[in-house]
Amino acid sequence: MAMVTTIHGDMEETALVKSEGDFEDDNECTHWIEYRLPGSDEIVHRSAHVVLKQPLSADALAALFGNQ
């Protein structure tokens, strides 16, 4: 069985409620997964995978780090 690392330690995936979603715009594609305890709104694990559609330019990277 798959284990999920949560804020309460490792738990079996089957013991949790899983929700997934996607977001896409002109700049990125994002996929996220959240796990909650059954009967609870408490998120015990959240992960996201983001893919940029176009690479950042050197100027954009410098701006992110405050070097501009």
Side-chain angles (χ1 to χ4, degrees):
M1 299 259 167
M3 297 296 286
V4 177
T5 301
T6 74
I7 60 173
H8 301 296
D10 291 347
M11 300 179 75
E12 291 282 342
E13 183 177 19
T14 56
L16 300 167
V17 177
K18 180 180 180 180
S19 56
E20 299 181 66
D22 294 295
F23 170 79
E24 185 171 351
D25 64 14
D26 293 339
N27 301 310
E28 67 185 68
C29 294
T30 303
H31 178 77
W32 54 266
I33 300 172
E34 295 176 342
Y35 289 94
R36 292 177 170 79
L37 296 172
S40 172
D41 288 335
E42 178 185 19
I43 296 172
V44 295
H45 173 94
R46 178 184 288 157
S47 59
H49 181 75
V50 179
V51 176
L52 298 177
K53 292 183 176 180
Q54 297 182 14
L56 291 176
S57 67
D59 291 337
L61 285 172
L64 286 173
F65 291 104
N67 296 329
Q68 197 171 32

